[in-house]
């Protein structure tokens, strides 16, 4: 085995760094959309809104019960075949859709558990002062549930960042796709992928730091 | 004015409130006593629509509802006319003392921020917790939390404040400060309905004492009559038991 080509690795860093923003964009937008969707699903499940509740259960079951890669292929290759208006769906859109739906299904369940876990005295107090259900959810229940759900949600975000690497199978040149191209040009696979791995690793580590910081902040109200 | 006509509440087959008729004048201080499990909490909770009564009509101020046909809007409106003080305080854990009091003015009454917080500060000063404005419930003593709980109820400007055993969860050292605040409210002629086992409070502050047993009003009258000259054997029996541990 040859020694590690360190020079090549260092040279690769600035090249790959240019693709990191797309990776972060996929995960960032995916996370925001997934959160919105997950909150919606969770509220529908908690309030047991007829019809929507049943639909949500099926949606969540499907997106938790099938592999993310299959879902991405469904969106990228399958949807255009079904709906001709979607023939122009690109890899980035398909990936964003896939990540959003896949992770919203998981996140909905943890948000729902956190909502159900909010003490009944809190909801009674909210109702007693005349809040509507919506006001109660927005002002009292969701903020308290967020604190409980945050660690889990951050873990899903980290999972999602790593899952963006699947986008390369849809021809998207994000961090993983770029690495793949570089590696097959230079045949220095180990060097290329170890650089990519370290980049993912650093991003995730930074996020973990942020997570700790957020948890301390959010817990402030609840500590003596 | 508050008026209940044949108000009933069933849980399944259990009759918890059995056709209650009751009229309370504006400014009246009513204390409700009775054995455990006889429907005292349920009565207050029905008034605040935390429980949906099974039958009867309810009037608070200028709003009368037939509880069976109460619309969502009527339920909200009824809740907004009646403020509740909980045994376990039930302050919003994610809000400071000031925000707990301002919340209703901001969200329910849609006051502008500045006005709502100004009013909340006034109330905070009134309840003697001006320096606790930015404290979260978890960092306050039970007595302080309950005073904020009462402050939150005061902010409502409600027709009546309903107190469900407001001092029962408190360590003995905090009971007096909460009772003191309630006496202050009573002296301002805030209409109050108080479920409590604090018999000295009932004797000193109440205009009327109502004894409830088995979901019915057994006997009612001024404290002097109920405490010193009860008529019904059940009232006598209850008072004998409770006064053995609680001197009037
Ligand atoms: N949600 C409910 N479902 C079924 N039964 C209930 C419910 N809430 C109360 N009850 C029953 O109604 C009866 C009256 O309860 P309530 O809490 O009003 O009594 P109380 O007079 O306040 O008693 P205490 O002095 O112990 O607080 C009790 O027998 C109780 O078991
Ligand atoms: Mg009770």
């Amino acid at each position: 085995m040859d020694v590690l080509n360190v020079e090549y690795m260092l040279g690769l860093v600035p090249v790959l760094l240019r693709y990191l923003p797309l990776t972060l964009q996929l995960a960032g937008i995916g996370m925001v959309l997934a959160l919105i969707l997950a909150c919606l699903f969770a509220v529908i499940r908690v309030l047991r809104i007829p019809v929507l509740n049943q639909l949500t259960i099926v949606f969540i079951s499907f997106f938790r019960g099938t592999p993310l890669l299959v879902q991405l292929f469904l969106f990228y290759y399958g949807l255009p075949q079904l709906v001709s208006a979607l023939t122009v769906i690109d890899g980035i859109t398909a990936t964003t859709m896939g990540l959003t739906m896949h992770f919203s299904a998981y996140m909905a369940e943890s948000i729902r558990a956190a909502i159900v876990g909010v003490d009944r005295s809190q909801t009674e107090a909210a109702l007693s002062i005349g809040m509507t259900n919506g006001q109660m959810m927005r002002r009292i229940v969701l903020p308290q549930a967020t604190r409980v759900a945050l660690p889990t949600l951050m873990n899903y975000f980290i999972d999602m960042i790593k899952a963006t690497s699947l986008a390369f199978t849809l021809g998207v040149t994000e961090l993983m796709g770029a690495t793949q191209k570089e590696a097959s040009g230079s045949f220095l696979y180990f060097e290329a992928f170890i650089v990519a791995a370290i980049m993912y690793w650093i991003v995730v580590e930074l996020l973990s730091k942020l997570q700790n910081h957020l948890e301390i902040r959010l817990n402030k109200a609840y500590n003596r | 004015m508050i008026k209940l006509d044949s108000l009933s509440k069933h849980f399944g087959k259990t009759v918890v409130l059995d056709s209650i008729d009751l009229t309370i004048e504006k400014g009246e201080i009513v204390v409700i006593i009775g054995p455990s499990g006889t429907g005292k909490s349920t009565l207050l909770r029905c008034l605040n629509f935390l429980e949906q009564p099974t039958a009867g009509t309810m009037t608070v101020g200028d709003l009368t509802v037939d509880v069976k046909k109460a619309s969502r809007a009527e339920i909200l409106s009824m809740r907004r006319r009646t403020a509740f003080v909980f045994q376990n305080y039930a302050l919003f854990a994610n809000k400071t003392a000031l925000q707990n009091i301002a919340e209703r003015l901001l969200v329910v009454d849609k006051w502008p921020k500045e006005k709502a917080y100004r009013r909340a500060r006034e109330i905070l000063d009134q309840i003697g917790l001006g320096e606790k404005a930015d404290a979260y419930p978890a960092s306050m003593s039970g007595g302080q939390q309950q005073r904020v709980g009462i402050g939150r109820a005061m902010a409502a400007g409600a027709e009546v404040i309903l107190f469900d055993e407001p001092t029962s969860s408190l360590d003995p050292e905090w009971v007096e400060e909460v009772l003191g605040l309630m006496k202050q409210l009573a002296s301002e002629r805030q209409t109050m309905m108080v479920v409590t086992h604090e018999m000295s409070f009932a004797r000193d502050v109440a205009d009327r004492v109502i004894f409830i047993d088995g979901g019915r009003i057994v006997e009612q009258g001024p404290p002097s009559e109920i405490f010193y000259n009860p008529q019904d054997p059940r009232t006598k029996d209850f008072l004998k038991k409770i006064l053995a541990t609680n001197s009037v």
Side-chain angles (χ1 to χ4, degrees):
Chain A
M1 194 187 115
D2 293 326
V3 279
L4 217 55
N5 190 337
V6 176
E7 207 177 317
Y8 172 73
M9 284 168 65
L10 289 177
L12 202 53
V13 171
V15 178
L16 293 188
L17 268 182
R18 276 188 280 137
Y19 298 94
L20 188 61
L22 180 55
T23 291
L24 296 180
Q25 179 205 311
L26 285 169
I29 295 180
M31 187 66 185
V32 170
L33 295 178
L35 261 180
I36 295 171
L37 212 54
C39 283
L40 211 67
F41 290 158
V43 171
I44 288 172
R45 296 276 284 113
V46 170
L47 299 181
R48 296 209 180 85
I49 299 172
V51 186
L52 288 180
N53 188 28
Q54 282 76 15
L55 289 176
T56 302
I57 290 174
V58 173
F59 181 98
I60 289 176
S61 166
F62 178 80
F63 280 95
R64 292 206 324 167
T66 53
L68 177 56
L69 191 58
V70 174
Q71 294 164 13
L72 291 181
F73 277 34
L74 263 177
F75 284 120
Y76 188 60
Y77 299 110
L79 269 192
Q81 181 191 330
L82 223 63
V83 190
S84 52
L86 287 177
T87 43
V88 287
I89 190 168
D90 60 13
I92 294 180
T93 312
T95 306
T96 307
M97 282 172 70
L99 291 175
T100 298
M101 303 214 180
H102 184 78
F103 281 91
S104 71
Y106 280 95
M107 291 181 345
E109 287 301 282
S110 47
I111 294 175
R112 185 176 77 95
I115 291 176
V116 173
V118 171
D119 201 272
R120 212 167 75 100
S121 70
Q122 298 289 305
T123 52
E124 289 207 328
L127 293 179
S128 90
I129 63 172
M131 283 192 192
T132 61
N133 280 330
Q135 291 169 333
M136 172 184 86
M137 277 290 168
R138 267 202 321 283
R139 314 250 337 160
I140 308 299
V141 176
L142 286 180
Q144 293 189 33
T146 304
R147 170 181 151 267
V148 175
L150 185 76
T152 330
L153 295 180
M154 282 302 271
N155 288 340
Y156 283 132
F157 186 36
I158 286 170
D159 273 353
M160 193 186 290
I161 290 176
K162 292 182 287 185
T164 55
S165 60
L166 290 176
F168 98 97
T169 61
L170 307 188
V172 179
T173 314
E174 35 64 71
L175 184 51
M176 176 66 184
T179 311
Q180 167 80 13
K181 279 186 188 152
E182 290 295 328
S184 51
S186 65
F187 297 107
L188 292 171
Y189 288 102
F190 186 79
E191 281 87 346
F193 284 116
I194 200 77
V195 170
I198 290 172
M199 284 185 177
Y200 281 114
W201 190 11
I202 290 175
V203 170
V204 168
E205 272 305 301
L206 289 177
L207 265 175
S208 305
K209 288 262 177 323
L210 176 72
Q211 177 176 0
N212 287 336
H213 194 74
L214 273 178
E215 277 172 32
I216 291 169
R217 255 191 66 125
L218 276 180
N219 280 331
K220 206 180 64 188
Y222 304 84
N223 296 332
R224 287 175 176 274
Chain B
M1 190 194 72
I2 297 160
K3 194 161 184 293
L4 307 180
D5 279 308
S6 323
L7 192 82
S8 295
K9 172 66 184 170
H10 304 182
F11 286 111
K13 283 204 181 105
T14 324
V15 181
V16 177
L17 294 179
D18 187 4
S19 198
I20 301 263
D21 293 312
L22 182 62
T23 304
I24 292 169
E25 297 302 331
K26 194 168 168 54
E28 202 178 357
I29 318 297
V30 173
V31 167
I32 299 169
I33 59 174
S36 185
T38 52
K40 306 181 297 293
S41 297
T42 306
L43 177 61
L44 296 193
R45 291 170 59 82
C46 281
L47 270 158
N48 195 223
F49 260 98
L50 288 174
E51 304 285 356
Q52 171 114 31
T54 314
T57 62
M58 219 159 88
T59 303
V60 175
D62 55 8
L63 177 70
T64 300
V65 295
D66 177 343
V67 298
K68 263 197 275 197
K69 297 186 204 133
S71 66
R72 275 176 52 86
E74 282 174 331
I75 290 175
L76 279 182
S77 181
M78 204 47 112
R79 283 185 179 146
R80 289 167 185 181
R81 287 152 190 266
T82 53
F84 206 99
V85 175
F86 296 87
Q87 180 175 346
N88 60 1
Y89 335 129
L91 296 186
F92 302 128
N94 57 327
K95 309 245 172 228
T96 63
L98 185 72
Q99 290 168 337
N100 261 279
I101 296 173
E103 187 68 5
R104 139 153 208 156
L105 301 173
L106 284 171
V107 179
V108 176
D109 302 322
K110 306 256 187 325
W111 285 19
K113 251 199 177 111
E114 204 185 312
K115 188 179 169 204
Y117 282 116
R118 197 173 339 116
R119 176 73 187 122
R121 266 189 199 285
E122 277 171 25
I123 292 173
L124 215 47
D125 288 336
Q126 237 174 310
I127 63 179
L129 288 174
E131 82 289 1
K132 285 283 176 188
D134 298 324
Y136 285 94
S139 69
M140 289 189 273
S141 75
Q144 290 170 337
Q145 288 188 59
Q146 191 58 298
R147 278 149 70 196
V148 174
I150 294 173
R152 178 172 68 184
M154 288 159 66
E159 296 272 343
V160 58
I161 301 184
L162 310 163
F163 295 80
D164 190 8
E165 302 202 29
T167 58
S168 294
S169 299
L170 291 173
D171 289 338
E173 53 187 314
W174 309 124
V175 170
E176 275 316 312
E177 67 181 54
V178 171
L179 290 179
L181 176 56
M182 290 167 64
K183 283 176 191 167
Q184 182 189 322
L185 278 180
S187 69
E188 292 159 14
R189 304 318 293 176
Q190 162 70 53
T191 315
M192 295 161 59
M193 288 175 75
V194 185
V195 173
T196 183
H197 298 298
E198 295 288 337
M199 292 303 147
S200 58
F201 176 85
R203 184 201 56 194
D204 297 342
V205 181
D207 299 313
R208 182 169 22 149
V209 175
I210 297 179
F211 175 71
I212 292 191
D213 195 10
R216 291 171 154 267
I217 295 177
V218 173
E219 190 168 353
Q220 56 179 316
S224 54
E225 276 176 30
I226 299 293
F227 288 131
Y228 301 114
N229 192 16
Q231 300 301 309
D232 195 281
R234 282 172 291 177
T235 319
K236 287 179 188 163
D237 191 46
F238 173 79
L239 286 172
K240 205 174 343 159
K241 277 186 198 134
I242 197 143
L243 295 183
T245 55
N246 191 323
S247 61
V248 168

